Amino acid sequence: MATYFPEVGSIVYEGPKTKNPLAFRHYNPDEIVEGRSMRDWLRFSVCYWHTFRGTGSDPFGAPTLQRPWDDGTDSLDNALTRVDVAFEFMSKLGVPFYCFHDRDVAPEGSSLKQSNANLDTVVAKLKEAQARTGIKLLWGTANLFSNPRFMHGAATSPNADVFAYAAAQVKKAMEVTKELGGENYVFWGGREGYMCSYNTDMKRELDHLARFMHMAHDYAQQIGFRGQFLFEPKPKEPTKHQYDFDAAACLNFIRQYGLLDVVKLNIETNHATLAGHSMMHELEYASIQGVLGSIDANTGDMLLGWDTDQFPTDIYLTTQVMLVLMKQGGLAPGGTNFDAKVRRESIDPVDLFHAHIGGMDAFARGLKIAAAIRSDGMLSDFIKKRYSSFDNGIGRKIEIGTTNFADLEAYMLQKGEADANISGRQELMENIINYYL
Ligand code: XLS
Ligand code: NI
Ligand code: NI
């Protein structure tokens, strides 16, 4: 078989001192951290869209990335070649998972029927490649935003035929995800939002979106697809307001429409920051309510206001992520998907390796640092102490619900003044994180 990355061999762990840029310094898949291998904690995934379909084009300029294997067309032959490229890349990188949209892997045809046939052809080859390499599908999804028919949205389009088209596409995408043993299925709202309130019936659009998710769930039950459903929050882009704005908005939606037992969340760093939150906030918010299902690992740029989807290299960020993930006992059946793209100036195929190696090492370091912080216990001990007034006495009564406003007034009238506050020690907490970096 032809090789598409002749200058790169298998990427292996060489330890922190190596000078080899094509080796891991921290990601050592079999190394055990808190009783579990790094591979199982991190469950890395490569995304098909940015990594194998990214061209480097932006609103101001043409494609820049050099991909010698790609003839630049959307032909089926080209799509089949990309499967070989993808599986050579992922095998050499040593990732256990990948993800795709239907239209990333196979070309859209001149009819839905033709598109489905194209997808079947490529899926047969993906299945064979998965069996040969042992690489698994973390999640599948449908692209309900690129084709002009989705200009007003898909499940929230005012055009009922577009809703029907989207349903047909998701039905097929779920079938192929099942066929490939996908462990999850993602719903990212593409264009589910609005550009202008004056022409939008928000109530009807949200009702339709809920109807769509319920039908998807019904169909999954019908075909025996047991993968976890994941809703991916994003506040804006491409629309001015996406309905799946952030974890809180998504949770309210799934709660209101009776989808709580059916859908969890796939939290993406750059989407969290676009919503004005930190990634740690979004993860914690989802996790405490039992809906943190998976993550799209990337990062934005502080000086750019859009979804730049860069590879995560900031160890503070990965440490914060891992602190939350470890607290909830990991992510399975979700994973850490690099929904990230190389910059348009990083034009060589080898840059794809540098990007993923950097992201994987940054997460491996985050994992080790988070484990050290956890085993030391300074942070958790402080938090425990900070809330200890609720462990007994009046605080305990408040927590277990055996008091009321009248009691609390009587308590305070008798006591006269609240106990003195203690320091929040924020600077010390920040220093503690630095002890381990
Ligand atoms: C786009 C989203 C998308 C989803 C999958 O901003 O992140 O890539 O992850 O549809
Ligand atoms: Ni994403
Ligand atoms: Ni994004």
Short mmCIF file of all heavy atoms in Angstrom, two decimals, residues 49-50 101 139 141-142 145 186-188 232 234 237 266 268 271 296 298 307 309 337 339, ligand 1:
data_model
loop_
_atom_site.label_atom_id
_atom_site.label_comp_id
_atom_site.label_asym_id
_atom_site.label_seq_id
_atom_site.Cartn_x
_atom_site.Cartn_y
_atom_site.Cartn_z
N TRP A 49 -12.98 16.11 9.68
CA TRP A 49 -13.26 17.33 8.90
C TRP A 49 -12.08 18.27 8.84
O TRP A 49 -11.64 18.64 7.75
CB TRP A 49 -14.55 18.03 9.37
CG TRP A 49 -14.68 18.33 10.84
CD1 TRP A 49 -14.50 19.52 11.46
CD2 TRP A 49 -15.06 17.40 11.87
NE1 TRP A 49 -14.74 19.41 12.81
CE2 TRP A 49 -15.08 18.13 13.09
CE3 TRP A 49 -15.37 16.04 11.90
CZ2 TRP A 49 -15.40 17.53 14.32
CZ3 TRP A 49 -15.69 15.45 13.12
CH2 TRP A 49 -15.70 16.20 14.30
N HIS A 50 -11.52 18.63 10.00
CA HIS A 50 -10.39 19.56 9.94
C HIS A 50 -9.13 18.86 9.42
O HIS A 50 -8.38 19.42 8.64
CB HIS A 50 -10.08 20.12 11.34
CG HIS A 50 -11.10 21.06 11.85
ND1 HIS A 50 -11.62 22.08 11.10
CD2 HIS A 50 -11.70 21.16 13.07
CE1 HIS A 50 -12.49 22.77 11.83
NE2 HIS A 50 -12.57 22.22 13.03
N HIS A 101 -18.34 13.73 10.09
CA HIS A 101 -19.68 14.06 9.57
C HIS A 101 -19.84 13.21 8.32
O HIS A 101 -18.87 12.97 7.59
CB HIS A 101 -19.79 15.51 9.11
CG HIS A 101 -19.53 16.56 10.13
ND1 HIS A 101 -18.28 17.00 10.45
CD2 HIS A 101 -20.39 17.32 10.87
CE1 HIS A 101 -18.36 17.96 11.36
NE2 HIS A 101 -19.63 18.17 11.63
N TRP A 139 -17.50 8.99 17.49
CA TRP A 139 -18.85 9.43 17.15
C TRP A 139 -19.00 9.77 15.68
O TRP A 139 -18.05 10.11 15.01
CB TRP A 139 -19.36 10.56 18.01
CG TRP A 139 -18.53 11.78 18.32
CD1 TRP A 139 -17.75 11.98 19.43
CD2 TRP A 139 -18.45 13.01 17.57
NE1 TRP A 139 -17.20 13.23 19.42
CE2 TRP A 139 -17.61 13.90 18.29
CE3 TRP A 139 -18.99 13.47 16.39
CZ2 TRP A 139 -17.29 15.19 17.87
CZ3 TRP A 139 -18.69 14.77 15.95
CH2 TRP A 139 -17.85 15.59 16.69
N THR A 141 -21.72 12.01 12.96
CA THR A 141 -22.69 13.10 12.95
C THR A 141 -23.04 13.43 11.51
O THR A 141 -22.45 12.88 10.58
CB THR A 141 -22.15 14.34 13.71
OG1 THR A 141 -23.20 15.30 13.85
CG2 THR A 141 -20.98 14.99 12.99
N ALA A 142 -24.02 14.30 11.33
CA ALA A 142 -24.43 14.69 9.98
C ALA A 142 -24.13 16.17 9.77
O ALA A 142 -24.32 16.99 10.67
CB ALA A 142 -25.92 14.43 9.80
N PHE A 145 -25.36 21.80 7.60
CA PHE A 145 -25.11 23.26 7.52
C PHE A 145 -24.40 23.72 6.25
O PHE A 145 -24.51 24.86 5.87
CB PHE A 145 -24.31 23.72 8.76
CG PHE A 145 -23.17 22.78 9.15
CD1 PHE A 145 -21.90 22.96 8.63
CD2 PHE A 145 -23.39 21.71 10.02
CE1 PHE A 145 -20.86 22.10 8.98
CE2 PHE A 145 -22.36 20.84 10.37
CZ PHE A 145 -21.09 21.04 9.84
N VAL A 186 -23.29 12.69 17.69
CA VAL A 186 -23.29 14.11 18.07
C VAL A 186 -24.30 14.93 17.27
O VAL A 186 -24.47 14.74 16.07
CB VAL A 186 -21.87 14.70 17.91
CG1 VAL A 186 -21.89 16.23 17.87
CG2 VAL A 186 -20.98 14.24 19.07
N PHE A 187 -24.97 15.83 17.99
CA PHE A 187 -25.81 16.85 17.37
C PHE A 187 -25.18 18.20 17.65
O PHE A 187 -25.22 18.66 18.80
CB PHE A 187 -27.22 16.84 17.98
CG PHE A 187 -27.99 15.58 17.72
CD1 PHE A 187 -27.83 14.47 18.54
CD2 PHE A 187 -28.87 15.50 16.65
CE1 PHE A 187 -28.54 13.31 18.31
CE2 PHE A 187 -29.59 14.34 16.41
CZ PHE A 187 -29.41 13.24 17.23
N TRP A 188 -24.54 18.76 16.66
CA TRP A 188 -24.13 20.15 16.80
C TRP A 188 -25.08 20.95 15.93
O TRP A 188 -25.34 20.59 14.78
CB TRP A 188 -22.68 20.39 16.36
CG TRP A 188 -22.43 21.86 16.24
CD1 TRP A 188 -22.55 22.78 17.25
CD2 TRP A 188 -22.09 22.60 15.06
NE1 TRP A 188 -22.31 24.04 16.76
CE2 TRP A 188 -22.02 23.96 15.43
CE3 TRP A 188 -21.82 22.23 13.75
CZ2 TRP A 188 -21.71 24.96 14.52
CZ3 TRP A 188 -21.51 23.22 12.85
CH2 TRP A 188 -21.45 24.57 13.22
N GLU A 232 -23.97 19.47 21.32
CA GLU A 232 -22.74 20.28 21.43
C GLU A 232 -23.06 21.77 21.48
O GLU A 232 -23.45 22.36 20.48
CB GLU A 232 -21.80 19.97 20.26
CG GLU A 232 -20.49 20.74 20.32
CD GLU A 232 -19.52 20.35 19.23
OE1 GLU A 232 -19.45 19.15 18.87
OE2 GLU A 232 -18.82 21.24 18.73
N LYS A 234 -22.77 25.77 21.38
CA LYS A 234 -21.98 26.81 20.70
C LYS A 234 -22.84 28.05 20.63
O LYS A 234 -23.99 27.98 20.19
CB LYS A 234 -21.57 26.34 19.30
CG LYS A 234 -20.71 27.36 18.55
CD LYS A 234 -20.21 26.81 17.22
CE LYS A 234 -19.31 27.82 16.54
NZ LYS A 234 -18.76 27.30 15.27
N GLU A 237 -22.00 31.85 15.51
CA GLU A 237 -21.21 31.38 14.39
C GLU A 237 -21.64 29.97 14.01
O GLU A 237 -21.39 29.05 14.75
CB GLU A 237 -19.70 31.39 14.72
CG GLU A 237 -18.84 31.30 13.49
CD GLU A 237 -17.39 30.96 13.79
OE1 GLU A 237 -17.10 30.01 14.52
OE2 GLU A 237 -16.55 31.64 13.24
N ASN A 266 -21.51 17.47 24.66
CA ASN A 266 -20.14 17.44 24.15
C ASN A 266 -19.63 18.88 24.23
O ASN A 266 -20.08 19.74 23.49
CB ASN A 266 -20.15 16.96 22.69
CG ASN A 266 -18.74 16.88 22.10
OD1 ASN A 266 -17.80 16.48 22.79
ND2 ASN A 266 -18.59 17.26 20.84
N GLU A 268 -17.03 21.91 23.98
CA GLU A 268 -15.84 22.33 23.20
C GLU A 268 -15.24 23.61 23.78
O GLU A 268 -15.96 24.59 24.03
CB GLU A 268 -16.25 22.54 21.74
CG GLU A 268 -15.11 23.07 20.87
CD GLU A 268 -15.39 22.99 19.38
OE1 GLU A 268 -16.07 22.03 18.95
OE2 GLU A 268 -14.95 23.88 18.66
N HIS A 271 -15.90 26.97 22.04
CA HIS A 271 -17.31 27.36 22.14
C HIS A 271 -17.60 27.91 23.53
O HIS A 271 -18.38 28.85 23.68
CB HIS A 271 -18.22 26.18 21.84
CG HIS A 271 -18.04 25.63 20.45
ND1 HIS A 271 -18.75 24.54 19.99
CD2 HIS A 271 -17.24 26.02 19.43
CE1 HIS A 271 -18.38 24.29 18.74
NE2 HIS A 271 -17.47 25.16 18.39
N ASP A 296 -14.74 18.28 22.94
CA ASP A 296 -14.02 18.66 21.73
C ASP A 296 -12.86 19.53 22.19
O ASP A 296 -13.06 20.66 22.66
CB ASP A 296 -14.94 19.42 20.76
CG ASP A 296 -15.66 18.48 19.79
OD1 ASP A 296 -15.47 17.25 19.92
OD2 ASP A 296 -16.38 18.97 18.92
N ASN A 298 -9.88 21.83 21.91
CA ASN A 298 -9.20 22.80 21.07
C ASN A 298 -9.00 24.04 21.92
O ASN A 298 -9.11 23.99 23.14
CB ASN A 298 -10.00 23.08 19.79
CG ASN A 298 -11.37 23.69 20.04
OD1 ASN A 298 -11.67 24.20 21.12
ND2 ASN A 298 -12.22 23.64 19.03
N ASP A 307 -14.33 31.30 16.14
CA ASP A 307 -14.01 29.92 16.49
C ASP A 307 -12.76 29.48 15.73
O ASP A 307 -12.86 28.89 14.66
CB ASP A 307 -15.24 29.07 16.09
CG ASP A 307 -15.25 27.71 16.75
OD1 ASP A 307 -14.58 27.53 17.78
OD2 ASP A 307 -15.96 26.82 16.23
N ASP A 309 -10.54 27.29 16.54
CA ASP A 309 -10.29 25.83 16.61
C ASP A 309 -8.81 25.47 16.56
O ASP A 309 -8.39 24.64 15.74
CB ASP A 309 -11.03 25.12 15.46
CG ASP A 309 -12.54 25.08 15.66
OD1 ASP A 309 -13.00 25.26 16.80
OD2 ASP A 309 -13.25 24.85 14.67
N ASN A 337 -11.84 14.59 21.69
CA ASN A 337 -11.74 14.71 20.24
C ASN A 337 -11.07 16.03 19.87
O ASN A 337 -11.52 17.09 20.27
CB ASN A 337 -13.17 14.67 19.65
CG ASN A 337 -13.15 14.97 18.17
OD1 ASN A 337 -12.35 14.41 17.42
ND2 ASN A 337 -14.04 15.85 17.73
N ASP A 339 -11.12 18.59 17.89
CA ASP A 339 -11.87 19.36 16.90
C ASP A 339 -11.04 20.62 16.66
O ASP A 339 -11.39 21.72 17.10
CB ASP A 339 -13.27 19.70 17.44
CG ASP A 339 -14.16 20.30 16.37
OD1 ASP A 339 -13.65 20.58 15.27
OD2 ASP A 339 -15.36 20.50 16.64
C1 XLS B 1 -18.37 23.44 14.84
C2 XLS B 1 -18.50 22.24 15.65
C3 XLS B 1 -18.50 20.96 14.84
C4 XLS B 1 -19.02 19.84 15.67
C5 XLS B 1 -19.49 18.68 14.87
O1 XLS B 1 -18.07 24.52 15.32
O2 XLS B 1 -17.51 22.20 16.61
O3 XLS B 1 -17.22 20.72 14.35
O4 XLS B 1 -18.07 19.39 16.58
O5 XLS B 1 -20.53 19.03 14.03
#
